[in-house]
Amino acid sequence: MNNLFYALLLLFVCQTADAQSKFVRGKIYLSDGSTLTGLTKIPSGPYDKTIRFKANRGTKASPIASSQIDSLVIMNDFFQKKFVFGTCDIYDIKKNKVKTKNQKIWLILSWKTDLMEVYSVADFYEIKKEGNMKISGAYRIDFYLKKKGSENYFLVYNYFGENKQEYFNASCSYYCKDIPKLSRYLANGGYKWDKVYQVAEAYDRYKKSVE
């Protein structure tokens, strides 16, 4: 399963596209509840302020402000990949408190269970000519968790942070404190940061066992 996770995380086969500069088939879900279906460009990175969209290949592309978008999904006949434009929470391990970032960013859904999702953030997002979608070719991948029903995305692994495993343990433990047994297990280093999907699976398993 670990190999499957990284296959989903690092590469997405998208045969409808041959380069990042090209449009891909997809849907854009706007904050007002409406949906645009057609051809879209993907975010080039987490801080893209606009997404270009057109209804079909014969029409002119228009920019859409990222602030007006909840999510976008690119797809072909076999696969799809979801991007979300969301607000992120960061756990301050020294103060044992959470702060919310003012600036929204683009995240990629990398893994999901019924009750928790894993998201990734990289320096740039790209669809290569050979048909593979790379979510990172630069220096970092950060990981975020999001519980079902939550609005914000919770940082649990920061590539540039100090004491990465320690931070991962503490942040995951804090985020899962609604399940004390799991929270204690995470605080004691129950999972390694590169197996973040196991946190989502454990949360799902523990939560269902007590309901």
Side-chain angles (χ1 to χ4, degrees):
M1 185 174 291
N2 192 21
N3 290 337
L4 175 60
F5 173 70
Y6 281 101
L8 292 171
L9 178 65
L10 296 174
L11 296 174
F12 169 63
V13 179
C14 185
Q15 297 174 344
T16 60
D18 60 6
Q20 195 278 335
S21 61
K22 298 293 181 70
F23 287 84
V24 295
R25 183 156 55 96
K27 292 184 177 182
I28 294 179
Y29 298 88
L30 299 173
S31 303
D32 63 6
S34 59
T35 302
L36 300 174
T37 302
L39 300 172
T40 181
K41 286 191 175 182
I42 67 170
S44 61
Y47 299 103
D48 258 14
K49 295 182 178 180
T50 59
I51 299 295
R52 296 189 65 79
F53 172 86
K54 57 184 180 179
N56 54 62
R57 297 193 183 280
T59 58
K60 184 178 180 180
S62 301
I64 302 174
S66 295
S67 59
Q68 297 178 342
I69 301 173
D70 281 339
S71 63
L72 70 85
V73 177
I74 61 171
M75 64 193 74
N76 63 15
D77 293 336
F78 306 100
F79 304 95
Q80 67 178 24
K81 196 70 176 179
K82 181 180 180 181
F83 295 77
V84 297
F85 191 64
T87 301
C88 299
D89 291 335
I90 299 176
Y91 177 59
D92 187 327
I93 191 172
K94 294 181 179 179
K95 297 181 179 180
N96 191 33
K97 61 187 297 186
V98 175
K99 60 181 180 180
T100 300
K101 293 179 65 175
N102 293 326
Q103 186 176 12
K104 286 187 173 183
I105 60 174
W106 282 105
L107 309 93
I108 298 178
L109 178 62
S110 301
W111 194 265
K112 65 182 297 184
T113 65
D114 291 338
L115 300 176
M116 185 175 284
E117 298 172 331
V118 179
Y119 288 83
S120 308
V121 172
D123 288 297
F124 65 82
Y125 311 129
E126 181 180 23
I127 298 175
K128 300 294 285 184
K129 184 175 181 180
E130 60 269 22
N132 289 331
M133 178 177 157
K134 298 176 62 178
I135 69 162
S136 177
Y139 302 107
R140 72 145 194 255
I141 296 177
D142 298 337
F143 294 124
Y144 293 76
L145 297 177
K146 182 177 182 293
K147 297 175 186 174
K148 183 178 180 180
S150 298
E151 293 186 1
N152 293 359
Y153 303 82
F154 193 86
L155 178 69
V156 295
Y157 175 78
N158 179 3
Y159 181 87
F160 290 118
E162 298 180 357
N163 303 315
K164 296 180 179 63
Q165 185 63 48
E166 180 184 349
Y167 182 82
F168 179 78
N169 297 343
S171 58
C172 287
S173 174
Y174 183 92
Y175 194 56
C176 297
K177 63 182 180 180
D178 55 317
I179 306 178
K181 184 176 180 180
L182 176 59
S183 179
R184 291 191 297 270
Y185 182 74
L186 293 168
N188 291 323
Y191 299 113
K192 299 297 183 183
W193 66 264
D194 60 348
K195 294 180 175 60
V196 60
Y197 70 92
Q198 292 182 338
V199 178
E201 293 181 340
Y203 184 86
D204 197 79
R205 186 168 61 252
Y206 274 90
K207 196 74 170 176
K208 290 178 177 178
S209 69
V210 298
E211 288 181 348

